Amino acid sequence: MPGAGTFREDFGASVVVALVALPLCVGVAVASGVPAELGIVTGIVGGLVTGWFRGSALQVSGPAAGLTVLVYEAVRAYGPASLGVLVLAAAVVQLGMGVLGLGRWFRAISVAVVHGMLAGIGLVLIAGQLYALGDAPAPGGTLEKVAGLGHLLGQADWDAVALGAGTVSVIVGWRRMPARLRIVPGALVGVAAAAVVAWWLHMPVDRVEVEGVLAAVAPPAAADFGVLASAGAVGTVVALALIASAETLFSAAAVDRMHDGPRTDYDRELLAQGVGNALCGLLGALPMTAVIVRSSTNVEAGARTRASRILHGGWLLLFAVCVPGLLEVVPLAALAGVLLHAGWKLLPGRAVVGLWQTHRGEAVVLVVTAGAIVATNLFEGVLVGLGLAVSKAAWDTSHVHIEQAWEGEVLRVRVAGNASFLRLPKLLDALDALPADRPVRIDLSGLRHFDHACLTALDGWERQRASAAPGRKGATEPG
């Protein structure tokens, strides 16, 4: 039984984590275009089910702001009934990756792509939540949302804007409060304060609509699985699986640096996420991932074992069953404020500055990835970032050094490094510049890699030189 000897520490941490998770669960669900209760359901599953697995000792799972954009687009494209099918299919992909031992390979993904993905998600989240902050209808695409920000000023409900801005101010300012007060999460304080003000002043702002957890749960029917015949839906499934897995495992790496307990078993953690998402899919709830905000809170609150995350799921279940009506007094603008703050924290300003000073190519990858996500969608934007990162890596590793030295009447040209098609122009320029009236010997023994494009070009150069000046051939020594 986890936490048998550390119950006091784990119990206290579980309460704090549950208080942090509650407004995030509701806010992510609302921003994803599904009933608020489904976010709580995912949080409950993340605690009571995924929390039992031994993949990561202190990492906490639940609905994440990082998947909000993708889920919203999926719900809008395929309908709310398809959500459970997509999440269940993504869980199958995660389970397959865990069984095949692919969890550790996520650590090989470029950090610039990961930061770019988070930045893109943050920008899209901010663009959407600015409309929710003003209780105004939002345009469809992200670029349309950005273009319509000027018109938002004339459509916004300024009472709602004040509540949302006040929520953000409380969250930011709460970090300066004494430590004994910071035990209560700033997000919860901000949302509660906004709810009290809206109720006290009778503000006519939009509020969370509550149906009850059991009423919101909608297991997929057999007919709903037909959505998987769509190529777009399959792409969404792959994106859900990969992004949820990447966020989970990157979060695990960060949490491992925060404590001295057992290290994460990446493949087992991937299996745990797959099991949790499978249950979420069967319940028609939101997908889950490990969330760094809750996980770091769990560590900072003094958790010692996985019992804290299991108990946090129990607290969420107790709240959903006993006092669901409290959610109806929460203004949507306050939840938008919570998510705006979360989106802002996803923007890696310091990472961009640091990369620009040390590795400008990586900074370009980060910015292009984020821009591609804003311009297209999450899946295509990440693919653009990965493609650019791979291309950059190929360029960086394909260095060719060309050295010339006379050996009597023969000019010896030594080629070393990695000769790929990316460096073919440099290689051909050097060969074409060699004297045509003197014998040349090409030494390839220093090459670590010599691709087909370069080999073909070198053969062509030898034939051209032989036909142009018979008796003055260029000879090649293989590596």
Side-chain angles (χ1 to χ4, degrees):
M1 176 66 184
T6 58
F7 180 77
R8 179 178 178 180
E9 294 87 346
D10 291 327
F11 182 86
S14 71
V15 175
V16 175
V17 174
L19 293 176
V20 170
L22 183 60
L24 290 175
C25 288
V26 175
V28 169
V30 172
S32 300
V34 301
E37 298 88 343
L38 292 183
I40 299 178
V41 171
T42 299
I44 293 170
V45 173
L48 295 182
V49 178
T50 305
W52 279 97
F53 285 80
R54 295 177 179 271
S56 178
L58 301 180
Q59 186 161 251
V60 183
S61 299
L67 293 176
T68 300
V69 176
L70 187 58
V71 173
Y72 179 82
E73 292 175 352
V75 170
R76 189 179 64 171
Y78 308 109
S82 67
L83 179 60
V85 174
L86 298 175
V87 175
L88 180 59
V92 172
V93 175
Q94 283 186 306
L95 289 169
M97 291 189 296
V99 170
L100 294 174
L102 301 181
R104 69 197 68 179
W105 288 99
F106 279 87
R107 291 179 290 178
I109 297 177
S110 167
V111 175
V113 174
V114 175
H115 282 308
M117 179 188 74
L118 295 176
I121 291 170
L123 291 172
V124 174
L125 193 59
I126 290 171
Q129 292 308 303
L130 284 174
Y131 289 85
L133 187 75
D135 280 354
T142 302
L143 293 180
E144 288 80 4
K145 289 185 177 72
V146 174
L149 289 177
H151 301 291
L152 177 60
L153 296 176
Q155 299 174 334
D157 181 336
W158 291 99
D159 287 342
V161 172
L163 289 174
T167 302
V168 175
S169 299
V170 171
I171 295 173
V172 174
W174 197 250
R175 291 176 297 180
R176 298 189 175 93
M177 301 299 289
R180 63 180 182 276
L181 294 179
R182 292 202 306 271
I183 294 176
V184 181
L188 184 66
V189 175
V191 170
V196 170
V197 171
W199 170 79
W200 184 265
L201 298 179
H202 303 286
M203 289 182 171
V205 295
D206 293 339
R207 290 174 169 81
V208 176
E209 297 179 3
V210 179
E211 301 177 1
V213 173
L214 293 180
V217 169
D224 296 329
F225 284 84
V227 72
L228 296 178
S230 164
V234 172
T236 299
V237 167
V238 174
L240 280 173
L242 294 181
I243 294 171
S245 301
E247 186 167 348
T248 291
L249 299 180
F250 289 132
S251 172
V255 173
D256 280 350
R257 291 193 292 268
M258 298 175 64
H259 66 89
D260 299 325
R263 303 296 91 179
T264 298
D265 184 322
Y266 286 89
D267 295 324
R268 186 176 289 180
E269 180 66 13
L270 203 53
L271 288 172
Q273 295 294 318
V275 171
N277 273 320
L279 183 55
C280 288
L282 291 174
L283 296 175
L286 289 171
M288 75 166 61
T289 178
V291 186
I292 188 61
V293 174
R294 295 171 212 175
S295 302
S296 60
T297 300
N298 192 37
V299 175
E300 292 168 1
R304 303 286 296 279
T305 71
R306 64 185 190 277
S308 61
R309 56 186 189 176
I310 299 172
L311 289 171
H312 120 274
W315 290 118
L316 291 178
L317 177 61
L318 184 65
F319 180 88
V321 171
C322 296
V323 285
L326 282 180
L327 294 177
E328 293 182 338
V329 303
V330 175
L332 291 180
L335 296 179
V338 172
L339 291 175
L340 279 172
H341 182 257
W344 178 261
K345 292 180 68 176
L346 289 175
L347 302 182
R350 293 182 180 178
V352 174
V353 173
L355 286 175
W356 185 256
Q357 293 174 344
T358 57
H359 300 89
R360 293 194 174 184
E362 294 293 310
V364 171
V365 172
L366 190 159
V367 173
V368 170
T369 302
I373 291 173
V374 172
T376 57
N377 55 57
L378 190 58
F379 184 56
E380 294 178 7
V382 170
L383 289 181
V384 169
L386 288 173
L388 184 58
V390 171
S391 299
K392 177 185 175 297
W395 176 262
D396 288 343
T397 57
S398 63
H399 290 295
V400 173
H401 302 284
I402 301 173
E403 302 172 354
Q404 300 181 19
W406 287 100
E407 297 180 349
E409 294 293 322
V410 178
L411 178 60
R412 186 183 186 88
V413 179
R414 186 175 185 273
V415 184
N418 297 292
S420 72
F421 69 95
L422 295 173
R423 300 294 182 175
L424 186 55
K426 177 181 178 180
L427 179 61
L428 289 177
D429 287 344
L431 293 176
D432 291 339
L434 296 176
D437 58 343
R438 304 294 294 272
V440 175
R441 185 176 298 277
I442 308 296
D443 178 8
L444 304 180
S445 61
L447 285 176
R448 294 186 297 272
H449 174 72
F450 192 47
D451 70 6
H452 183 263
C454 290
L455 178 61
T456 302
L458 185 59
D459 288 341
W461 173 81
E462 282 191 310
R463 287 194 298 270
Q464 181 182 9
R465 185 178 178 86
S467 61
R472 295 292 187 185
K473 297 181 180 180
T476 303
E477 297 180 2

Short mmCIF file of all heavy atoms in Angstrom, two decimals, residues 16 183 386 444 467 475:
data_model
loop_
_atom_site.label_atom_id
_atom_site.label_comp_id
_atom_site.label_asym_id
_atom_site.label_seq_id
_atom_site.Cartn_x
_atom_site.Cartn_y
_atom_site.Cartn_z
N VAL A 16 -3.84 19.97 -1.28
CA VAL A 16 -3.33 21.12 -2.03
C VAL A 16 -3.42 20.87 -3.53
O VAL A 16 -3.87 21.75 -4.30
CB VAL A 16 -1.87 21.42 -1.62
CG1 VAL A 16 -1.30 22.54 -2.46
CG2 VAL A 16 -1.80 21.78 -0.15
N ILE A 183 -0.42 28.12 0.96
CA ILE A 183 -0.87 26.72 0.98
C ILE A 183 -2.14 26.59 0.14
O ILE A 183 -2.36 25.59 -0.54
CB ILE A 183 -1.13 26.27 2.44
CG1 ILE A 183 0.18 26.25 3.22
CG2 ILE A 183 -1.80 24.90 2.47
CD1 ILE A 183 0.02 25.91 4.68
N LEU A 386 9.38 19.54 -36.36
CA LEU A 386 10.23 18.34 -36.39
C LEU A 386 11.02 18.27 -37.69
O LEU A 386 12.21 17.93 -37.69
CB LEU A 386 9.36 17.09 -36.23
CG LEU A 386 8.78 16.84 -34.83
CD1 LEU A 386 7.82 15.66 -34.87
CD2 LEU A 386 9.89 16.60 -33.82
N LEU A 444 39.71 9.95 -50.20
CA LEU A 444 38.44 9.93 -49.48
C LEU A 444 38.53 9.16 -48.16
O LEU A 444 37.52 8.85 -47.53
CB LEU A 444 37.34 9.29 -50.34
CG LEU A 444 37.11 9.93 -51.71
CD1 LEU A 444 35.99 9.19 -52.45
CD2 LEU A 444 36.75 11.41 -51.57
N SER A 467 37.60 13.39 -70.16
CA SER A 467 37.26 13.71 -71.56
C SER A 467 37.81 15.07 -71.97
O SER A 467 38.14 15.30 -73.13
CB SER A 467 35.74 13.69 -71.73
OG SER A 467 35.13 14.68 -70.90
N ALA A 475 42.39 10.91 -60.16
CA ALA A 475 42.22 9.58 -59.58
C ALA A 475 41.61 9.71 -58.18
O ALA A 475 41.86 10.69 -57.48
CB ALA A 475 43.57 8.88 -59.52
#
